[in-house]
Amino acid sequence: MSRKTNKKEKESKRTRSIPMAELPNNIKIPNRTIFPQRSQEEIERLRKEKIVFSFRFLDTKHEAFNCGGTSDGWFLHLFDNLTEISKLTMSEFEQQRRHYDLHRHDFGKTAHHYKESVPEHVLEQVSPENMIQFRLSRSGGRVHGIRYHNIIYIIWLDPHHNMYPDERYGPPKRYPAPLRPYEELEQEIEKLQKQLEEKEQENKMLFDMMAEMEEKKSS
């Protein structure tokens, strides 16, 4: 056996001794397509379907759209409207312009842009005419979202008309966000804990005073 052949065999063994890296079987590659292309036949079918609302991108933490300073009745008004709209097809919804005033956004005139709440890779998939708004009533605020065939993805709830500053509604309004039930309980617990600590301090002061008085009596 020649030295050349022996060298090749050693290199081959060295290469085989290093195991190949393998990807785990359960690894998942995320699908970043939110709004896939549809066939014309599928588009026509969806336009005959009733409207469905999605809250996948709803942002209630945005300071302008956190629904702070809103009465409980406004939320009933909101759901009354969403219920009625869900009985319509998108074509029927578009025809009720005088009532719901469905139309696209002119972001050159808005105080905010969807990019403040929605990931960039999502917005890249949406054409401008599908970034829409509709009103609940003339003074009941608006809903801002993305339209995709018969689905409306709600992004912001706008009871105070903060999206479009307008003389009729005054300057933008900012309120603390409403508390969730568990947050209210946490605040109540914190309040009671503070009261308990204050009572414990008062009791300690009384016991110390009584002990001092007993000590003076015995002396």
Side-chain angles (χ1 to χ4, degrees), residues 184-199:
E184 291 179 346
L185 288 173
E186 286 177 345
Q187 282 197 357
E188 184 65 20
I189 290 171
E190 185 177 350
K191 178 182 176 181
L192 292 173
Q193 183 65 36
K194 186 176 180 180
Q195 290 177 353
L196 178 61
E197 291 174 357
E198 290 174 352
K199 293 298 181 183

Side-chain angles (χ1 to χ4, degrees), residues 58-84:
L58 177 64
D59 181 6
T60 58
K61 295 182 179 180
H62 193 295
E63 64 173 359
F65 307 107
N66 61 16
C67 296
T70 306
S71 67
D72 294 341
W74 184 86
F75 292 97
L76 294 177
H77 184 52
L78 167 68
F79 283 106
D80 285 344
N81 276 267
L82 297 186
T83 300
E84 292 303 311

Side-chain angles (χ1 to χ4, degrees), residues 63-178:
E63 64 173 359
F65 307 107
N66 61 16
C67 296
T70 306
S71 67
D72 294 341
W74 184 86
F75 292 97
L76 294 177
H77 184 52
L78 167 68
F79 283 106
D80 285 344
N81 276 267
L82 297 186
T83 300
E84 292 303 311
I85 293 171
S86 67
K87 298 175 183 177
L88 305 173
T89 64
M90 190 60 72
S91 296
E92 292 170 337
F93 190 32
E94 291 169 345
Q95 292 168 10
Q96 296 199 26
R97 179 69 184 269
R98 292 185 64 184
H99 185 68
Y100 293 111
D101 192 27
L102 172 69
H103 62 279
R104 62 179 286 183
H105 280 296
D106 181 355
F107 286 111
K109 298 179 180 179
T110 62
H112 302 278
H113 193 286
Y114 286 177
K115 61 186 179 182
E116 297 168 27
S117 296
V118 181
E120 183 178 353
H121 78 274
V122 173
L123 294 181
E124 288 174 350
Q125 302 174 43
V126 184
S127 56
E129 62 268 19
N130 289 324
M131 298 183 187
I132 54 92
Q133 63 171 324
F134 61 89
R135 69 183 174 203
L136 304 178
S137 61
R138 289 194 178 275
S139 59
R142 291 180 175 268
V143 176
H144 309 289
I146 293 170
R147 174 175 60 182
Y148 176 66
H149 301 302
N150 68 317
I151 303 175
I152 295 178
Y153 292 84
I154 296 178
I155 298 172
W156 292 326
L157 302 174
D158 189 8
H160 305 299
H161 298 271
N162 284 337
M163 188 68 159
Y164 288 86
D166 192 298
E167 292 181 359
R168 292 174 297 172
Y169 306 110
K173 300 174 180 63
R174 299 287 191 273
Y175 298 95

